[in-house]
Amino acid sequence: MPSSDRDKNAAPPLPAPLGVAVADSHTHLDMQGGTVDEALAKAASVGVTTVVQVGCDVNGSRWAAETAAAYDAVHATVALHPNEAPRIVHGDPDGWSRQGAREPGGDAALDEALAEIDRLAALPQVKGVGETGLDYFRTGPEGKEAQERSFRAHIEIAKRHGKTLVIHDRDAHADVLRVLKEESAPERTVFHCYSGDAEMAEICAEAGYFISFAGNVTFKNAGNLRDALAVAPLELVLVETDAPFLTPAPYRGRPNAPYLVPVTVRAMAAVRGIDEDAMATALGANTASAFGY
Ligand SMILES: [Zn+2]
Ligand SMILES: [Zn+2]
C-alpha cells in the first residue's frame, strides 16, 4: 500500500470493537487533539469504556481532577512527572514540560507544588498518585536528587490517602525498585508503560505490582516486553495507550488515542495464547482493582 506524508500524520482507523469492555489504564487526553467528549465516544464505540487520565504537572493534575469529576468514564491520577520535579527546582527551558521556559524555584517551589498534589489526591474522583518515579533518559545527573525527593514524597502522599501509585520508570529500573522497597510501596502500585524484561516482571509479580503494557509491546524490537508479558501473572496485567505517545503497530508514529486500545489487546492476547475476550475480561477486571473503582 503506498503511503504519503498525510497518511503518516492521520489518525489511524477505528479497530473492530472488543466483545468485552476494557479500560485505558493510562492516557493524556489533554495532549491529544479534539474534545474529551469525542475521545470518549470514539473509545466507547470500540469497547474502551473507561479511561484513567494522568496528570504530569500541577495544571495537568487539576485538569485531570476536574475532568474526572465531570465524566463517569474518567478517573484521575495526579502528580508531578519525574521530569517535572527537577524543572521546578532548577528550571529547564529545553526540558520535557509543554509549558515552556520557567524560572528555577528551588526546593520551596517543589514543596509548594507537592502540597497542591497532596490536596488534589484527597478528592474522591482521584484514584491514583502518579505518574511519578525516575527517568534517567530525559533527566541528567543534576536532576536526580530532586527527582528522587519528589518520588518519595509521592509515595507518601499515595499511602496517606490510600490511593494507587502510578510509576514512570525510564532507564531506572534498579533505583525505582530500591526506592519502592525503602519507602514500602502502597497497597496498589502500577508500573505504567512497563519497560523491563521478564526477570524484572517476576520481581514485580512477587511484590504484587501491576504491570501495564502500552502500544510498544507490539513493536518488532520489543521482544523483552513480550517475554515479560508471557511470564506476568494474568491478574496483574493492565493495558494502556499513554496516548498521544506509543501508537501500536502497524500505526507506529501516527497519533495515539484511547480508541486504539483494542489493537494492543489483540496483540497481548496473541502473546498469552488466549482469545481476545478472555484477555479483555482480565484487563477490565484488573484495571478496576488496580485503581479501586
Ligand atoms: Zn510515563
Ligand atoms: Zn504518561
Side-chain angles (χ1 to χ4, degrees):
M1 199 171 69
S3 78
S4 66
D5 282 348
R6 209 197 310 170
D7 286 335
K8 279 183 210 152
N9 297 321
L14 268 182
L18 291 169
V20 177
V22 298
D24 180 350
S25 82
H26 186 116
T27 196
H28 302 282
L29 294 172
D30 52 335
M31 302 181 195
Q32 298 162 32
T35 66
V36 171
D37 290 280
E38 286 162 359
L40 295 177
K42 211 169 165 183
S45 77
V46 292
V48 183
T49 52
T50 306
V51 306
V52 179
Q53 167 65 26
V54 173
C56 292
D57 57 20
V58 166
N59 287 337
S61 294
R62 286 188 186 128
W63 189 85
E66 284 164 18
T67 305
Y71 294 90
D72 286 343
V74 180
H75 302 292
T77 74
V78 297
L80 310 175
H81 190 281
N83 293 320
E84 176 71 1
R87 269 178 58 76
I88 292 172
V89 176
H90 304 293
D92 174 16
D94 303 319
W96 162 87
S97 170
R98 66 214 127 84
Q99 291 177 327
R102 185 196 287 139
E103 293 299 311
D107 286 343
L110 180 56
D111 286 339
E112 201 178 306
L114 286 167
E116 178 63 3
I117 297 302
D118 189 359
R119 187 190 72 77
L120 293 167
L123 297 170
Q125 74 275 25
V126 174
K127 303 298 183 192
V129 173
E131 54 186 297
T132 181
L134 301 173
D135 186 322
Y136 296 163
F137 180 77
R138 287 202 191 278
T139 295
E142 71 291 343
K144 254 186 172 174
E145 196 187 320
Q147 198 168 77
E148 188 167 321
R149 181 159 90 80
S150 177
F151 182 24
R152 289 182 193 273
H154 282 83
I155 296 172
E156 189 275 328
I157 292 169
K159 287 202 286 193
R160 186 156 35 78
H161 293 288
K163 301 292 166 91
T164 302
L165 186 71
V166 177
I167 300 286
H168 169 103
D169 159 24
R170 191 152 183 201
D171 296 351
H173 305 324
D175 283 351
V176 165
L177 292 169
R178 173 181 56 81
V179 172
L180 281 174
K181 209 169 175 184
E182 286 170 4
E183 296 291 326
S184 98
E187 202 183 311
R188 296 183 305 274
T189 296
V190 174
F191 272 72
H192 119 76
C193 188
Y194 181 78
S195 59
D197 57 11
E199 195 185 332
M200 180 172 156
E202 277 162 5
I203 295 170
C204 290
E206 182 77 18
Y209 303 151
F210 290 92
I211 303 173
S212 183
F213 290 89
N216 54 344
V217 74
T218 67
F219 294 175
K220 216 176 243 167
N221 61 356
N224 64 319
L225 299 182
R226 288 184 288 275
D227 292 347
L229 172 58
V231 301
L234 186 59
E235 67 273 16
L236 293 179
V237 173
L238 309 183
V239 67
E240 66 173 274
T241 57
D242 201 17
F245 314 107
L246 295 174
T247 314
Y251 308 116
R252 191 173 177 177
R254 289 164 67 172
N256 200 5
Y259 76 88
L260 291 170
V261 161
V263 178
T264 305
V265 171
R266 288 180 180 122
M268 290 170 71
V271 169
R272 297 287 306 206
I274 59 179
D275 69 57
E276 71 178 64
D277 283 358
M279 191 75 232
T281 301
L283 293 167
N286 297 348
T287 314
S289 61
F291 288 94
Y293 61 79

